[in-house]
Amino acid sequence: DTEVTQTPKHLVMGMTNKKSLKCEQHMGHRAMYWYKQKAKKPPELMFVYSYEKLSINESVPSRFSPECPNSSLLNLHLHALQPEDSALYLCASSFDRQRGSYNEQFFGPGTRLTVL
Amino acid sequence: DAKTTQPTSMDCAEGRAANLPCNHSTISGNEYVYWYRQIHSQGPQYIIHGLKNNETNEMASLIITEDRKSSTLILPHATLRDTAVYYCIAYVLWAGNQFYFGTGTSLTVIP
């Protein structure tokens, strides 16, 4: 299985809602990532988890809360979002930073989030 | 991480080779050059990477100049399905797993 899955594919939420995005991989990867991508822009790194521990937070607002319950699963909890948070949220995974040059990231298809 | 610069857009005739340039003049000795592409509204897809030597796989070839200040991704026989945004990334191993995407090149393959 060389796939990263993300659910849901689409999500519409109000500014007072709490929702979660889910990402799953079964490739034995130990690094997982969240990216945010606005229309016609490149993906922007948000968070990096390495061995289930948060290793990088790119100054993301606290209304985005990541969670890595185990090595296969990555969640992004959303609360009190703003309309400008509407974007494609991409999850990715890779072996780990010690793997050497074979460390390409595998991306999921993304969750299209709309905040009303 | 080194900044990469790429042309905003390019066209290529179907069946011809698509040559996508990337400038990374500030690249350091331990930074790899990675290429990804993103077909509309899908997740980015890994294509190829290299450090110093030219590389080839089933999807593409990567030509890196001797001074490593630039590289070219070559799709040998472009098809309509190769229409996508192509990202060149300079990536330091061992220093964290973060990719910083540049603005990318939007490649349109024309029938």
Side-chain angles (χ1 to χ4, degrees):
Chain A
D1 184 0
T2 58
E3 195 179 16
V4 175
T5 59
Q6 290 188 244
T7 54
K9 289 187 178 179
H10 301 275
L11 178 63
V12 179
M13 60 186 290
M15 288 189 285
T16 58
N17 292 158
K18 285 185 181 180
K19 296 286 184 183
S20 296
L21 310 184
K22 179 180 172 182
C23 173
E24 202 161 2
Q25 57 87 15
H26 297 286
M27 293 179 277
H29 291 171
R30 303 310 297 270
M32 296 186 77
Y33 316 78
W34 281 113
Y35 290 83
K36 172 182 176 179
Q37 186 174 26
K38 302 283 279 185
K40 299 189 185 301
K41 297 290 187 182
E44 295 178 7
L45 183 68
M46 301 174 72
F47 302 104
V48 179
Y49 272 83
S50 180
Y51 290 85
E52 294 110 70
K53 288 186 169 33
L54 182 65
S55 60
I56 294 170
N57 176 341
E58 291 285 345
S59 302
V60 179
S62 60
R63 56 185 185 269
F64 295 92
S65 174
E67 178 196 20
C68 190
N70 58 59
S71 59
S72 299
L73 192 56
L74 184 67
N75 297 320
L76 185 63
H77 302 298
L78 314 172
H79 174 55
L81 294 193
Q82 303 296 310
E84 58 265 29
D85 296 321
S86 298
L88 180 68
Y89 287 84
L90 294 161
C91 173
S93 69
S94 67
F95 281 103
D96 61 64
R97 68 176 70 186
Q98 308 301 327
R99 185 78 178 187
S101 69
Y102 300 98
N103 203 28
E104 61 263 29
Q105 294 183 19
F106 292 76
F107 283 81
T111 294
R112 178 75 58 188
L113 174 68
T114 302
V115 182
L116 301 176
Chain B
D1 290 332
K3 179 179 169 61
T4 61
T5 54
Q6 300 174 253
T8 303
S9 63
M10 293 180 64
D11 292 338
C12 176
E14 188 178 17
R16 304 296 296 268
N19 296 281
L20 293 94
C22 178
N23 182 291
H24 32 79
S25 57
T26 60
I27 198 169
S28 62
N30 60 349
E31 286 184 297
Y32 284 73
V33 178
Y34 271 69
W35 283 84
Y36 276 74
R37 73 180 182 185
Q38 187 173 25
I39 296 169
H40 181 64
S41 292
Q42 297 181 20
Q45 176 191 21
Y46 166 79
I47 302 172
I48 199 167
H49 72 280
L51 182 63
K52 296 179 185 177
N53 301 319
N54 299 336
E55 303 287 346
T56 296
N57 63 20
E58 64 278 5
M59 288 183 69
S61 295
L62 175 61
I63 307 299
I64 303 174
T65 58
E66 193 169 340
D67 62 8
R68 300 209 327 122
K69 292 184 184 301
S70 65
S71 60
T72 301
L73 178 75
I74 300 172
L75 308 177
H77 305 286
T79 71
L80 298 179
R81 288 178 295 180
D82 292 322
T83 293
V85 178
Y86 288 77
Y87 294 103
C88 169
I89 303 163
Y91 173 56
V92 180
L93 293 174
W94 318 107
N97 286 324
Q98 57 267 47
F99 273 174
Y100 296 106
F101 286 77
T103 52
T105 296
S106 178
L107 175 70
T108 302
V109 179
I110 302 168

